[in-house]
Amino acid sequence: MKKYIEFLKQVESLNKKYASIYFNVELEALAMPFWSWDEIQAGLKQRKDWEVDASLIPFYGDWHDLLCLNGKTGEIVALNDDREVLCRWASVKEFLSC
């Protein structure tokens, strides 16, 4: 996770720049704001209750649908309420380009 702290600390600032994201080649509106650093930290404690794998760091969503950073690989994944992966971005850089 240490490699990705800078991204996670700054992800909230994306709210000012972006209102949508390419999600499986379709442009999707971002209905909620990206989480603040404090919200991300609080979310780490809720992963087990919401059945989110411990390797994933949620940074956007309503706990039913989430965007998470894989702290081991740097991959970003979109999860649905059943915790199925709906979309993947290979890296933070690839995610930011969408």
Side-chain angles (χ1 to χ4, degrees):
M1 177 172 147
K2 289 180 182 179
K3 278 172 63 168
Y4 308 108
I5 287 178
E6 183 178 338
F7 167 74
L8 293 170
K9 283 186 174 182
Q10 296 176 6
V11 73
E12 183 180 25
S13 70
L14 297 177
N15 294 323
K16 297 174 186 170
K17 295 181 182 179
Y18 303 103
S20 59
I21 188 167
Y22 280 100
F23 194 92
N24 291 330
V25 302
E26 291 193 26
L27 194 60
E28 295 282 333
L30 294 171
M32 294 167 273
F34 287 97
W35 297 357
S36 69
W37 176 246
D38 289 339
E39 290 169 321
I40 292 168
Q41 293 299 301
L44 295 176
K45 298 172 188 164
Q46 295 182 356
R47 290 181 292 193
K48 186 176 181 182
D49 294 340
W50 283 92
E51 300 175 349
V52 174
D53 188 273
S55 66
L56 299 177
I57 304 163
F59 63 89
Y60 173 90
D62 61 2
W63 286 103
H64 296 283
D65 298 307
L66 294 168
L67 291 177
C68 301
L69 170 69
N70 184 315
K72 295 177 183 177
T73 67
E75 179 181 56
I76 307 271
V77 294
L79 303 176
N80 67 12
D81 200 27
D82 294 324
R83 299 305 174 236
E84 298 167 326
V85 175
L86 300 176
C87 188
R88 295 179 192 273
W89 296 269
S91 66
V92 167
K93 183 178 179 179
E94 183 179 312
F95 175 76
L96 292 173
S97 74
C98 287

